[in-house]
Amino acid sequence: LARRIVAVKRFEKMSATNRAANHAAATIQACYRGARSRQLISGLHASVTRIQSAWRRFSVELKFECTLMDIVYAQACARRFLGIVEAGRRRAAVVVLQCAVRKCIAIRRVHARTIVNKEVDSFVAAVVVCQSVARRRMAVNRVNRKRSKVALLNKSTVKIQTIWRGYSAEIRYQFTLLAIICIQSIVRRHQAARVATSKATSIVTLQCMARQWLARREFATAKKLSEEEMAYRHLCASSSIEIQRMVRGLQARTAYKMHVAARHIQKTWRGYVQHVDFMVSILSAIAIQTCTRKMICRRRFQMTKLAVAALQGLARGAMVRALVKEEIVAATRIQSWYRGAQAVNEYQNNQRAAIVMQSAVRGVIARRSIDFEHYAAREIQRVWRGYQANVDYIMILLAAIQIQSVARMFSARKVLASWNEKKLSAEVERRHRNASARQIQRVYKKVTMERFLARNSIIIQRSIRAFIARRRAAKMTRLVVFVQSAFRARLVRRMRTKKARVAARRIEKANEKAESEPQMRLGVRTSAALEVLQTSKRLSEVIRAIKTLEVSTRLSETCCRAFATANAPEILYALVRTCNRSLPHIELLHFVLLTLKNVARHPYLLPSVATHDSLEVLLDLTQMFRDKENIFCLSIALLERIVFCDESLMDMCRSSENIKRLKGIHALCKRRQNMARSTPKGSVQYDLKRGIHTLEKILRRCKV
């Protein structure tokens, strides 16, 4: 925070000194430009005076040359008119003769062509009938062959399926039987073992109980008997033990013999089972071999049959194609001859129609040119006669004035001779000359104006009427559009839903609130946000100001221009350098990047965003926040626009260090994308794939 405060103060001092220097430079430039402008205006005034004098001289010479060219053009038009009249007479006579000859030839050709067309139509109808019959027979034969092949294939397929199903059913039965036998043997062995175990445990339990009872009885009687009886009892006990040992040995030998017999039975049974399995496998192999050999033989037979059928089909097809080819060649020749006759007939009809149209068009053009030449000759004659009459009148007027001046001169001389006052005579003569000159000028201007009005009054009237008609049509169009828009608006208002009506009322209330509270307008809020951004040092106020700027730059181009004029991108870049990875700073960075992106949408405002420090700041953001999708995508999109708009920034981006950083970021993002492919597509707000694609585009451009 302390570093940020020091940086902001340093920036404010530098901005104040820069503003003073800029004001002084602007004042000096204004003074210099004023002096330079006054000097240029004086020089331009002198040059304009020279140009006007030269132009007046040129206009007088041009009028004389135009009058001379009018006379020459009138002569040329008269001669051309006479030549055109003579050529028109000769052309009309030739055209009449050509029309008569072509009409006779056309009648003969049409009569001959109708006869030929009837014969050709009958022949074409016969050929079409023959072709349809031949094609029908060929189609029927082809369908019959295909049906026989399909029936044969169906029969063979059914036979193969029955054999294979029988074999597969037999194999399944054998395997099921073997499985049942194995399960029975295992169950019987388990039951026998369980019975033997239960018998052994019951015998041991009985022996234990009997011995316990005998031991109790002996112990009870031992107290009552004598020593002889005790010895007798001991002898009986030992003899019983010996008898038990012998019985148990006999039982053990019997069990061993039964175990050996069981093992022999199991060995014999297992050999039998293996023999059965071996025989079943041999039988199945023999059955498979027979089916396979049968299938191979059947396939060879079918292939041989198909080959024979194909050879027969090829031979028959060649024969049929040869016949059809001959028929097609004959039909093609007939059709080519018929189409040629049709084309010749159509060409001759078109030629006759073109000749008639050309004659009509040439007649119209000749009549229009003659009318135009007549009109031009009449106009030239009218202008020339007026010009001659005007010149004659002016010459007569000048002669009368000259005569009057001579008479007045003689009378004045007589008066002056009597009065002897030379100055008075000079003054009188000057006044008379000025008066006569003014009279001549007045008459000449009047005649010139009459000629100009007579020549241009119709054009002026036409232009004025057209202008009035266009203005009236434009007014009517605007009125109709206004009525249509009002009617459609009313219709839309009547047909809109309740939700749309609620939204419209909310918009009206918002407009009324904006009109009643000017401080809530977008421009005022933008100005306030820019002022807060330039002066405030609190993070919460800066975040609110940047949110306001994001909304205003997204909605208004004027706010974007004000943002660029206030040098706000530099302030935002300086603010971005002080941010870390905390949540408030991430939110601040998100809105800062959105604001810069909104301004960068306009091409003429992009240089204000593409400053010298922007490349380094955006690269740092991209590298530091590559795991935050929103910051990464916005910064890489803004980096693309900035780099592509300025070649100097592109050269900076092409440096080895920046290329290495971009490649590292690209590799990490690709690895992260591959690891996160199992997550759903809607789990992140921004598209990481699009950001990686933009980064690849920047890398390709930097390599170029």
Side-chain angles (χ1 to χ4, degrees):
L1 184 61
R3 290 177 183 173
R4 191 177 70 177
I5 293 170
V6 171
V8 170
K9 288 184 178 180
R10 190 178 300 165
F11 180 74
E12 289 178 354
K13 290 180 182 179
M14 291 175 65
S15 62
T17 55
N18 289 332
R19 282 197 294 271
N22 291 333
H23 180 69
T27 305
I28 293 168
Q29 288 177 356
C31 295
Y32 174 73
R33 288 170 182 165
R36 185 69 179 273
S37 299
R38 286 190 292 275
Q39 186 179 359
L40 289 173
I41 288 168
S42 62
L44 288 172
H45 184 70
S47 60
V48 166
T49 305
R50 294 194 201 95
I51 291 167
Q52 286 177 353
S53 62
W55 174 253
R56 287 167 184 165
R57 179 183 175 187
F58 171 72
S59 63
V60 172
E61 292 178 355
L62 184 62
K63 286 180 182 179
F64 174 74
E65 290 179 357
C66 287
T67 305
L68 185 61
M69 288 176 65
D70 289 337
I71 295 168
V72 174
Y73 179 71
Q75 292 176 356
C77 289
R79 291 168 183 165
R80 181 172 175 269
F81 172 68
L82 294 174
I84 289 171
V85 169
E86 185 65 26
R89 291 175 184 173
R90 294 180 181 178
R91 192 181 297 113
V94 173
V95 168
V96 170
L97 293 174
Q98 287 178 352
C99 289
V101 174
R102 287 170 182 167
K103 183 178 180 181
C104 181
I105 295 171
I107 291 170
R108 291 180 181 177
R109 288 181 179 177
V110 168
H111 183 66
R113 189 55 52 80
T114 52
I115 297 170
V116 174
N117 288 338
K118 289 179 181 179
E119 295 178 357
V120 170
D121 291 337
S122 61
F123 184 74
V124 168
V127 170
V128 169
V129 171
C130 294
Q131 288 179 352
S132 62
V133 171
R135 287 169 183 167
R136 182 182 176 187
R137 289 181 180 176
M138 291 170 64
V140 169
N141 294 331
R142 201 178 294 120
V143 170
N144 291 330
R145 286 198 298 273
K146 287 184 179 180
R147 285 179 180 174
S148 61
K149 288 181 182 179
V150 170
L152 182 61
L153 288 174
N154 289 331
K155 289 180 181 179
S156 59
T157 304
V158 170
K159 188 69 177 176
I160 292 168
Q161 287 177 352
T162 53
I163 293 170
W164 175 253
R165 285 170 184 168
Y167 171 72
S168 59
E170 186 178 358
I171 292 296
R172 282 198 299 272
Y173 172 74
Q174 293 292 335
F175 277 108
T176 305
L177 184 62
L178 288 174
I180 291 169
I181 293 169
C182 292
I183 291 168
Q184 287 177 354
S185 64
I186 291 169
V187 169
R188 287 168 183 167
R189 186 174 62 185
H190 176 68
Q191 289 178 353
R194 189 170 62 181
V195 169
T197 304
S198 63
K199 286 181 179 180
T201 53
S202 61
I203 290 169
V204 171
T205 304
L206 290 172
Q207 288 177 357
C208 290
M209 292 176 67
R211 287 169 185 168
Q212 186 180 7
W213 181 75
L214 290 172
R216 285 196 193 102
R217 192 177 66 177
E218 287 177 359
F219 183 74
T221 57
K223 295 178 180 180
K224 300 177 181 181
L225 297 176
S226 60
E227 293 180 357
E228 294 178 356
E229 292 178 351
M230 290 293 294
Y232 178 73
R233 289 181 178 277
H234 182 72
L235 180 63
C236 290
S238 61
S239 60
S240 63
I241 291 168
E242 184 68 22
I243 291 167
Q244 289 177 357
R245 184 180 64 78
M246 292 175 69
V247 170
R248 288 171 181 166
L250 179 63
Q251 288 179 352
R253 285 191 295 273
T254 305
Y256 176 73
K257 289 179 181 179
M258 290 179 68
H259 182 68
V260 171
R263 282 191 298 176
H264 182 71
I265 292 167
Q266 289 176 356
K267 181 179 70 173
T268 305
W269 173 252
R270 287 170 184 166
Y272 172 72
V273 170
Q274 293 295 326
H275 181 69
V276 168
D277 291 337
F278 176 71
M279 292 303 294
V280 168
S281 62
I282 288 174
L283 291 173
S284 61
I286 292 168
I288 292 168
Q289 287 176 357
T290 54
C291 291
T292 305
R293 288 166 183 165
K294 188 188 297 183
M295 184 176 65
I296 292 170
C297 292
R298 189 180 292 111
R299 187 174 295 172
R300 286 178 181 174
F301 171 73
Q302 289 177 356
M303 290 176 67
T304 306
K305 188 176 180 181
L306 290 174
V308 172
L311 291 173
Q312 291 176 355
L314 290 173
R316 291 168 183 168
M319 293 169 64
V320 172
R321 280 194 295 274
L323 294 174
V324 172
K325 188 175 181 181
E326 291 177 358
E327 293 176 358
I328 289 172
V329 168
T332 304
R333 289 178 181 174
I334 294 167
Q335 290 175 357
S336 62
W337 177 82
Y338 177 68
R339 288 169 183 166
Q342 282 186 342
V344 170
N345 190 12
E346 185 178 359
Y347 170 73
Q348 289 176 356
N349 292 331
N350 293 332
Q351 187 179 11
R352 287 194 296 274
I355 290 169
V356 173
M357 292 173 66
Q358 287 175 359
S359 63
V361 171
R362 286 169 184 166
V364 172
I365 293 170
R367 286 190 294 273
R368 286 184 180 178
S369 63
I370 290 169
D371 293 338
F372 178 73
E373 289 169 0
H374 286 173
Y375 174 74
R378 285 196 300 271
E379 287 294 320
I380 292 166
Q381 288 174 2
R382 184 180 61 79
V383 172
W384 177 250
R385 287 167 185 167
Y387 175 72
Q388 281 184 345
N390 192 13
V391 170
D392 293 338
Y393 173 73
I394 291 170
M395 293 298 292
I396 293 169
L397 188 61
L398 289 175
I401 292 169
Q402 189 70 25
I403 293 168
Q404 288 175 0
S405 65
V406 171
R408 288 168 184 166
M409 182 181 66
F410 281 113
S411 62
R413 282 179 183 177
K414 289 178 182 179
V415 173
L416 287 174
S418 61
W419 289 350
N420 200 7
E421 293 178 359
K422 295 181 180 180
K423 292 182 180 179
L424 182 60
S425 64
E427 182 68 23
V428 171
E429 186 178 0
R430 186 180 64 80
R431 287 182 181 180
H432 279 291
R433 286 181 180 177
N434 289 336
S436 61
R438 282 194 297 272
Q439 185 69 23
I440 292 168
Q441 289 175 357
R442 193 180 299 114
V443 172
Y444 180 74
K445 289 178 181 177
K446 184 178 179 181
V447 173
T448 306
M449 184 57 68
E450 289 176 355
R451 288 172 57 196
F452 178 76
L453 291 175
R455 184 166 52 201
N456 297 328
S457 59
I458 298 173
I459 298 173
I460 293 169
Q461 289 176 1
R462 190 183 299 117
S463 301
I464 292 171
R465 287 170 184 166
F467 171 72
I468 293 170
R470 285 195 297 272
R471 187 171 63 180
R472 188 178 299 165
K475 287 182 180 179
M476 291 298 293
T477 304
R478 287 196 296 271
L479 180 61
V480 170
V481 170
F482 176 74
V483 172
Q484 287 178 352
S485 61
F487 176 73
R488 288 169 183 167
R490 184 179 178 185
L491 188 62
V492 170
R493 284 194 294 272
R494 287 177 61 187
M495 295 177 66
R496 63 188 177 184
T497 60
K498 184 178 179 181
K499 189 175 181 181
R501 286 196 293 271
V502 171
R505 283 197 292 272
R506 289 177 62 188
I507 291 169
E508 290 176 358
K509 289 181 181 179
N511 291 331
E512 292 175 358
K513 186 177 180 181
E515 290 177 357
S516 61
E517 297 178 2
Q519 67 273 12
M520 294 301 293
R521 293 182 179 177
L522 198 61
V524 178
R525 292 172 63 187
T526 303
S527 302
L530 289 173
E531 186 177 358
V532 169
L533 189 64
Q534 291 175 352
T535 57
S536 180
K537 298 178 182 177
R538 296 181 181 178
L539 183 61
S540 59
E541 293 181 356
V542 171
I543 291 175
R544 285 198 296 272
I546 291 174
K547 287 182 179 179
T548 304
L549 289 174
E550 192 273 330
V551 174
S552 61
T553 53
R554 176 162 44 87
L555 298 176
S556 174
E557 186 177 352
T558 306
C559 296
C560 293
R561 286 199 297 270
F563 180 85
T565 307
N567 201 15
E570 291 287 346
I571 301 173
L572 293 182
Y573 287 138
L575 182 63
V576 167
R577 288 181 179 274
T578 61
C579 293
N580 53 25
R581 291 176 60 88
S582 62
L583 291 177
H585 284 186
I586 289 174
E587 183 182 4
L588 176 63
L589 288 173
H590 177 66
F591 285 106
V592 166
L593 291 173
L594 283 176
T595 305
L596 293 173
K597 185 179 178 182
N598 293 333
V599 177
R601 287 182 305 173
H602 309 288
Y604 66 94
L605 296 177
L606 194 56
S608 63
V609 180
T611 60
H612 185 70
D613 298 333
S614 60
L615 180 65
E616 185 177 357
V617 172
L618 292 175
L619 283 174
D620 292 338
L621 280 178
T622 307
Q623 188 172 11
M624 187 165 59
F625 294 96
R626 60 181 179 271
D627 56 339
K628 305 292 182 183
E629 287 82 6
N630 52 355
I631 306 297
F632 173 74
C633 294
L634 288 173
S635 58
I636 202 68
L638 189 59
L639 179 64
E640 179 191 10
R641 292 189 179 182
I642 288 174
V643 168
F644 287 175
C645 80
D646 194 353
E647 288 295 330
S648 60
L649 293 176
M650 178 62 74
D651 295 336
M652 292 174 62
C653 187
R654 285 173 180 167
S655 63
S656 59
E657 183 181 357
N658 292 332
I659 292 292
K660 186 176 180 181
R661 292 174 68 182
L662 290 174
K663 287 183 178 179
I665 295 168
H666 179 262
L668 291 173
C669 292
K670 290 291 285 186
R671 190 182 306 163
R672 185 165 173 265
Q673 183 187 12
N674 294 330
M675 292 173 63
R677 279 183 179 175
S678 60
T679 60
K681 293 184 179 178
S683 61
V684 294
Q685 185 179 3
Y686 292 88
D687 192 3
L688 181 61
K689 185 177 179 181
R690 185 168 55 188
I692 294 172
H693 180 67
T694 307
L695 183 58
E696 292 174 352
K697 191 189 297 183
I698 295 172
L699 286 171
R700 287 196 298 270
R701 185 69 180 271
C702 291
K703 288 180 181 178
V704 174

